């Protein structure tokens, strides 16, 4: 019996459980077929839910004040629902959030890849970076990428796979590490970002239900999330190297990454690519940094709050790859004319064919779920159940995190969930002495940690499409079983960090404390 077989017979319970999840998941139909089945199930459930009169009432923040709102399950099997499914099928697809992000970003990334910039840059990285640090670098970059909204899903996740392949490691482990950082560590960061402003804008009016002049700044969770970035990087690195890579074993696929020495022409290309990136960044800074910067919000001068900079982050990312890609190609000789650039864009778009099919059916499913109000009803019912348990103190907070993590499997949008949950939990916890900022940070833990195992998460279909490049048989079961250890370890370790923070009584942000 060879070494590999001996190792396989000594699998622990956790690995056996992951294998079961993978086998069970991969016995399911193709992801496209699966989303069709999910859609049909939602249609049937919606009809049953409407027939039994399923509904919920909750306070919702509308135009500066809390308004009692009743939401009722809506059937898609009546005449109106059937008309809606047919008439909005195209709109569902074209307005699917990840679609534009992926395709626009891929125009730039495709040029950078087609001219050879990415491959050469990765070879340079491999030759100059200690192997023991690369996993942590990939996870950390993923965590930090959420400052650029959703661009990390499109750029860093496939790059993580390429980086690992360049190091002779399994590319799916690199993809998993990057995905874990981008999505599982979504709320953590070393900087204040758009999500901070978005959530605090919902928390503040909920807090004002109890204290009319209460202010929740975007920096409310900064200290805790700064430390969380380090924690997620460490835990993500541990899970990748101790659990994921041993399970995946040696990569035997067809994809290869050249490890030849970087030539003089390639070095010249990298030099000019670097100069072009520097010039581009300077231009963007000139448009953003001055108080009157063109890419700031023209009404309040904000960089984060509904500004053209945040709204245009995807084309900015595309240009950040396109410009150096062209500069590299001209300097290294891989670009002879504009036709080469356009061809690279075309090849990038052609490679996304499978994703477009998957995105079409996934978009229908996500919209059906939204139209029926089943997600909102589930969220309110879950919140009502937790508030009725009578739990207090840290027990309540942990219960709150777990309920949020569960609801997150069905409602991916952080703001949509918080708009429902904040008016319930922020005032309730304020009345027993806990600050809105503390409640918000607990919510963010639950909201982040189960993103990576939810097929309802908008970019889940994108990740499957990227993974199929390295494993044509990749299914939902394989992806979920690969990401489940990250989800569990992030949830446990992040909750422990919050408990320690609670026990010590540290501030969670500038002027923001655990207790009122």
């Amino acid at each position: 019996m060879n070494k590999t077989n001996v190792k396989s017979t000594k699998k622990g319970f956790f690995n056996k459980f992951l294998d079961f999840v993978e086998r069970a998941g991969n016995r399911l139909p193709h992801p496209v077929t699966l989303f069709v089945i999910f859609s049909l199930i939602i249609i049937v459930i919606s009809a049953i839910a409407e027939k039994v009169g399923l509904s919920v009432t909750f306070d919702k923040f509308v135009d500066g004040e809390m308004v009692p709102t009743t939401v009722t399950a809506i059937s898609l099997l009546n005449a109106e629902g059937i008309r809606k499914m047919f008439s909005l099928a195209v709109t569902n697809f074209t307005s699917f959030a990840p679609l534009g992000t992926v395709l626009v970003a891929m125009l730039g990334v495709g040029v950078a890849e087609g001219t050879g910039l990415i491959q050469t840059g990765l070879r340079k990285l491999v030759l100059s970076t200690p192997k023991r640090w690369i996993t942590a670098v990939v996870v950390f970059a993923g965590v930090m990428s959420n400052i650029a909204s959703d661009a990390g899903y499109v750029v860093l996740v496939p790059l993580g796979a390429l980086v690992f392949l360049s190091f002779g490691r399994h590319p799916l482990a690199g993809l998993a590490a990057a995905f874990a950082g981008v999505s599982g560590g979504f709320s953590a960061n070393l900087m204040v970002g758009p999500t901070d402003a978005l959530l605090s804008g919902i928390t503040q009016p909920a807090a004002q239900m109890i204290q009319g002049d209460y202010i929740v700044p975007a920096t409310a969770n900064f200290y805790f999330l700064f430390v969380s970035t380090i924690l997620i990087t460490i835990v993500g690195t541990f899970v990748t190297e101790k659990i994921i890579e041993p399970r995946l074993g040696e990569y035997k696929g067809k994809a290869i990454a050249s490890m030849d020495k970087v030539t003089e022409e390639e070095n010249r290309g990298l030099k000019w690519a670097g100069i072009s990136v520097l010039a581009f960044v300077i231009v963007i800074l000139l448009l953003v940094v001055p108080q009157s910067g063109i890419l700031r919000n023209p009404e309040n001068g904000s960089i984060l709050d509904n500004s053209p900079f945040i709204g245009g982050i995807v084309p900015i990312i595309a240009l950040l790859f396109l410009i150096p890609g062209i500069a590299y190609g001209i300097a290294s000789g891989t670009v002879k004319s504009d036709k080469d650039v356009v061809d690279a864009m075309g090849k990038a778009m052609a490679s996304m064919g499978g994703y477009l099919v998957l995105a079409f059916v996934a978009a229908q499913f996500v919209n059906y779920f939204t139209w029926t109000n089943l997600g909102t009803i589930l969220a309110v019912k879950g919140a009502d159940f937790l508030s009725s348990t009578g739990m207090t103190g840290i027990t309540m907070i942990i219960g709150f995190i777990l309920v949020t993590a569960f609801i997150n499997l069905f409602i991916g949008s952080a703001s949509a969930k918080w708009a429902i949950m904040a008016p319930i939990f922020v005032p309730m916890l304020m009345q027993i002495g806990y600050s809105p900022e503390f409640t918000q940070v607990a919510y963010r833990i639950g909201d982040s940690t189960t993103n990576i195992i939810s097929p309802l998460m908008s970019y889940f279909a994108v990740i499957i499409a990227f993974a199929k490049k390295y494993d044509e048989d990749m299914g939902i079961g394989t992806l979920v079983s690969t990401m489940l250890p990250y989800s569990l370890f992030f949830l446990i370790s992040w909750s422990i960090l919050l408990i320690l923070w609670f026990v010590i009584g540290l501030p969670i942000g500038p002027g923001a404390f655990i207790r009122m």
Side-chain angles (χ1 to χ4, degrees):
M1 184 180 288
N2 61 35
K3 185 176 180 181
T4 303
N5 289 333
V6 171
K7 186 176 179 181
S8 66
T9 62
K10 294 183 178 180
K11 286 185 176 181
F13 170 78
F14 188 56
N15 270 316
K16 289 179 180 178
F17 169 70
L18 294 177
D19 289 343
F20 168 76
V21 171
E22 180 175 2
R23 287 194 303 270
N26 286 344
R27 284 197 182 103
L28 296 171
H30 188 281
V32 170
T33 308
L34 201 56
F35 276 114
V36 172
I37 294 171
F38 285 164
S39 298
L40 294 174
I41 291 172
I42 290 299
I43 292 170
V44 173
I45 291 176
S46 71
I48 297 172
E50 184 184 70
K51 190 170 183 64
V52 300
L54 188 63
S55 66
V56 291
T57 299
F58 61 99
D59 289 326
K60 186 177 182 180
F61 179 60
V62 179
D63 296 331
E65 60 181 30
M66 292 296 176
V67 178
T69 304
T70 298
V71 170
T72 304
I74 297 175
S75 173
L76 293 177
L77 270 182
N78 55 29
E80 184 180 352
I82 293 171
R83 283 194 291 265
K84 194 171 186 177
M85 286 188 287
F86 275 95
S87 63
L88 295 181
V90 174
T91 303
N92 290 345
F93 177 53
T94 56
S95 61
F96 188 47
L99 185 65
T101 301
V102 171
L103 297 183
V104 172
M106 285 302 294
L107 290 173
V109 173
V111 171
E113 186 172 5
T115 60
L117 171 60
I118 289 178
Q119 296 88 328
T120 304
L122 287 174
R123 287 193 352 249
K124 193 83 170 181
L125 175 70
V126 171
L127 295 172
S128 60
T129 304
K131 186 175 182 179
R132 63 195 179 97
W133 290 110
I134 200 63
T135 306
V137 168
V138 168
V139 177
F140 176 75
V143 174
M144 292 299 296
S145 73
N146 69 57
I147 196 73
S149 189
D150 295 338
Y153 289 105
V154 184
V155 176
L156 273 175
V157 173
L159 275 182
L162 282 173
V163 167
F164 269 49
L165 185 63
S166 299
F167 273 84
R169 298 167 66 179
H170 204 298
L172 290 183
L175 180 144
F179 185 30
V182 171
S183 197
F186 182 72
S187 274
N189 210 289
L190 300 182
M191 295 180 285
V192 177
T195 304
D196 297 280
L198 181 65
L199 294 183
S200 63
I202 298 171
T203 305
Q204 181 169 301
Q208 289 174 349
M209 294 171 68
I210 301 297
Q211 187 173 320
D213 59 350
Y214 202 98
I215 301 297
V216 181
T219 57
N221 301 148
F222 177 67
Y223 296 158
F224 183 82
L225 296 180
F226 187 99
V227 175
S228 296
T229 303
I230 301 170
L231 173 72
I232 294 300
T233 301
I234 293 171
V235 174
T237 300
F238 171 82
V239 171
T240 302
E241 296 183 347
K242 301 301 181 182
I243 299 176
I244 304 305
E245 283 194 282
R247 282 196 74 245
L248 291 172
E250 182 183 354
Y251 178 62
K252 297 180 180 179
K254 298 177 182 178
I256 58 173
S258 171
M259 284 299 295
D260 298 333
K261 186 178 179 181
V262 178
T263 65
E264 183 179 341
E265 292 80 8
E266 290 171 333
N267 271 318
R268 183 168 61 248
L270 289 176
K271 174 185 174 181
W272 282 102
I275 292 172
S276 69
V277 167
L278 180 62
F280 178 71
V281 170
I282 290 173
V283 170
I284 294 298
L285 290 175
L286 290 174
L287 295 174
V288 173
V289 173
Q291 191 61 39
S292 59
I294 294 174
L295 293 183
R296 285 176 176 258
N297 186 318
E299 296 180 1
N300 57 22
S302 173
I303 297 175
L304 300 177
D305 180 20
N306 198 30
S307 68
F309 173 69
I310 294 300
I313 198 69
V314 174
I316 290 172
I317 293 292
L319 289 172
L320 192 59
F321 281 85
L322 175 66
I323 292 171
I326 295 173
Y328 172 88
I330 293 173
S332 66
T334 58
V335 169
K336 307 296 183 184
S337 70
D338 61 309
K339 292 181 180 179
D340 295 324
V341 176
V342 176
D343 285 345
M345 290 181 175
K347 288 179 181 177
M349 292 297 101
S351 69
M352 300 305 293
Y355 165 67
L356 292 177
V357 176
L358 185 57
F360 176 79
V361 293
Q364 309 309 318
F365 170 58
V366 171
N367 278 279
Y368 291 176
F369 199 77
T370 302
W371 293 343
T372 60
N373 288 331
L374 292 176
T376 301
I377 292 171
L378 180 65
V380 175
K381 291 287 187 183
D384 288 345
F385 164 76
L386 183 59
S387 61
S388 69
T389 60
M391 292 187 294
T392 59
I394 198 63
T395 307
M396 163 61 84
I397 294 298
I398 296 303
F400 176 54
I401 291 172
L402 293 175
V403 168
T404 303
F406 175 73
I407 294 172
N408 190 52
L409 295 172
F410 305 95
I411 303 179
S413 169
S415 58
K417 285 194 303 295
W418 193 225
I420 295 168
M421 300 178 75
I424 299 171
F425 287 103
V426 170
M428 183 177 74
L429 291 173
M430 284 178 73
Q431 292 183 72
I432 58 176
Y434 297 116
S435 71
E437 295 88 344
F438 182 57
T439 306
Q440 178 180 284
V441 83
Y443 166 78
R444 298 180 76 167
I445 293 173
D447 173 62
S448 296
T449 50
T450 51
N451 286 332
I452 48 182
I453 58 172
S454 172
L456 270 168
M457 197 272 290
S458 297
Y459 285 89
F460 200 81
V462 178
I463 307 306
I464 291 178
F466 287 146
K468 279 184 173 293
K469 180 178 179 180
Y470 305 101
D471 181 0
E472 294 178 356
D473 298 324
M474 168 65 71
I476 288 178
T478 301
L479 185 57
V480 170
S481 67
T482 300
M483 302 312 300
L484 186 57
Y486 292 104
S487 187
L488 293 175
F489 276 77
F490 284 175
L491 183 60
I492 294 169
S493 61
W494 221 341
S495 297
I496 291 173
L497 177 65
L498 187 66
I499 293 171
L500 292 175
W501 214 278
F502 177 86
V503 171
I504 299 172
L506 297 173
I508 53 179
F513 301 90
I514 293 172
R515 296 188 180 274
M516 295 287 293

